[in-house]
Amino acid sequence: MPRQHRPSPPESPLPSVTLRGYGGTLWLEGRAVILEQEGLRRRIPVEAVAEARAAGRGQRSAEIALWGVDGAPGPVFTLEGRDAAQAGRLVETVNRARSRSGPPQGGAALVEERPTGTSGRKKGLGLTRRERVVGIALLLVHVGGFALLAWAGEPQQAALWLLGAAPALFGLLIVVPSLRWAWKRWGVRRRGVTVVAVFARREGKRTFFRYTDLEGGTHEIEPDCAARRIGGDPRRIEVVHDRRQPGRAVCSLAVSTLLWRTAGVTLAGGLLLSLAFVMMPLQLILLALSR
């Protein structure tokens, strides 16, 4: 009687360990590591992982290092975490399940990426936990300052303090995103590799371009409206990606564009925040000097 072939049972899924971090989340699903960060969801099969390690202050962050090609190190994805114990569990689980040898094409070729459209934010008001805490703290300060001026018998100063919330809010809405954008550009360009991205697809009013990193991995970026075109071709733009995190990239911009944006943010945001200072903190200073 012929011997019947029995297929080997599939490998069991990994425990569903999750690590929440600042601006993203890392969790295990099936036989893969899922990283949701900066508007992208990456699915990293365990076969692509060369090593997982805890890092950062207090070992609360997690680094997922991928296999490279021909002995070269592969890209590293990092999540700045909040819980050292959880980071340790996740790292231990991944290292226990990872392959001891990498795929010939490298780990980056196995990574799947797709935009989430949420940029690591939660649904509802669209704010991260840190932003909600900061917002609550600012609200308490605002209410406290108004109460102090009213209690001191300064109704005009209290009214200025109350009205000063408007220029303060609009000034912060201009300055804070611009500072975050500038910080990201500086970090990416410091370890940057310049590549060409080509038009990939369109989703409604959103357009995505695709580029290939040094390890052969493909990534997508939603371009800046002023992105520098290659040879005047609107289907090709120049982008700079982080050598350590190839999925983190920015569009190359002309120097004149950067200067105009800096001037606009400085004038508009600076004037609004200066007005807010006059209407709010200066009133507390004047109150203190009058006592």
Side-chain angles (χ1 to χ4, degrees):
M1 185 176 180
R3 186 174 180 180
Q4 186 178 7
H5 173 71
R6 295 183 178 179
S8 57
E11 294 183 275
S12 59
L14 301 176
S16 301
V17 183
T18 302
L19 175 65
R20 294 191 178 276
Y22 298 106
T25 306
L26 191 67
W27 73 91
L28 307 181
E29 184 177 288
R31 298 284 299 174
V33 181
I34 310 297
L35 174 60
E36 191 168 288
Q37 187 180 54
E38 295 182 346
L40 282 177
R41 175 175 292 181
R42 297 183 178 91
R43 185 183 184 277
I44 309 170
V46 291
E47 294 81 7
V49 179
E51 181 187 9
R53 49 184 178 258
R57 185 177 59 182
Q59 301 290 289
R60 295 182 296 183
S61 302
E63 293 182 348
I64 305 297
L66 307 188
W67 290 103
V69 181
D70 297 330
V76 179
F77 297 112
T78 304
L79 177 71
E80 185 183 351
R82 304 171 178 175
D83 189 330
Q86 199 70 4
R89 295 187 193 99
L90 188 142
V91 166
E92 181 182 358
T93 302
V94 173
N95 283 331
R96 197 164 51 235
R98 68 180 178 86
S99 302
R100 300 306 175 215
S101 59
Q105 71 273 34
L110 303 180
V111 178
E112 301 174 7
E113 291 186 351
R114 65 180 180 87
T116 62
T118 60
S119 302
R121 298 172 185 266
K122 299 180 180 293
K123 295 181 179 179
L125 294 177
L127 301 177
T128 64
R129 182 179 177 182
R130 175 190 288 183
E131 289 168 338
R132 288 198 298 270
V133 170
V134 172
I136 293 173
L138 291 176
L139 179 61
L140 292 175
V141 170
H142 183 61
V143 173
F146 174 76
L148 178 61
L149 290 170
W151 175 79
E154 300 291 344
Q156 293 182 345
Q157 291 179 304
L160 284 175
W161 177 279
L162 190 63
L163 296 174
L169 177 61
F170 286 112
L172 290 175
L173 287 176
I174 293 174
V175 172
V176 172
S178 300
L179 289 177
R180 294 174 65 178
W181 176 79
W183 178 257
K184 179 184 177 180
R185 288 191 66 85
W186 178 81
V188 170
R189 297 194 69 89
R190 186 166 58 94
R191 299 188 298 265
V193 177
T194 303
V195 296
V196 176
V198 297
F199 174 79
R201 59 192 175 86
R202 195 185 306 274
E203 286 187 3
K205 296 182 179 180
R206 302 176 65 189
T207 303
F208 296 91
F209 282 66
R210 181 178 292 114
Y211 63 92
T212 304
D213 62 39
L214 298 179
E215 303 297 331
T218 58
H219 313 271
E220 288 189 346
I221 181 173
E222 191 171 359
D224 190 292
C225 61
R228 182 178 294 166
R229 266 57 179 176
I230 303 296
D233 186 354
R235 298 178 64 87
R236 287 178 172 82
I237 62 174
E238 184 179 282
V239 302
V240 181
H241 72 76
D242 193 322
R243 190 185 301 271
R244 298 180 184 176
Q245 302 179 49
R248 191 165 181 255
V250 296
C251 295
S252 293
L253 301 176
V255 175
S256 57
T257 300
L258 295 174
L259 290 177
W260 276 111
R261 289 186 179 181
T262 302
V265 170
T266 302
L267 288 175
L271 287 174
L272 286 170
L273 291 179
S274 298
L275 179 61
F277 174 81
V278 172
M279 298 177 70
M280 299 177 70
L282 182 60
Q283 303 307 314
L284 291 180
I285 295 175
L286 293 176
L287 177 64
L289 293 176
S290 64
R291 299 296 171 179

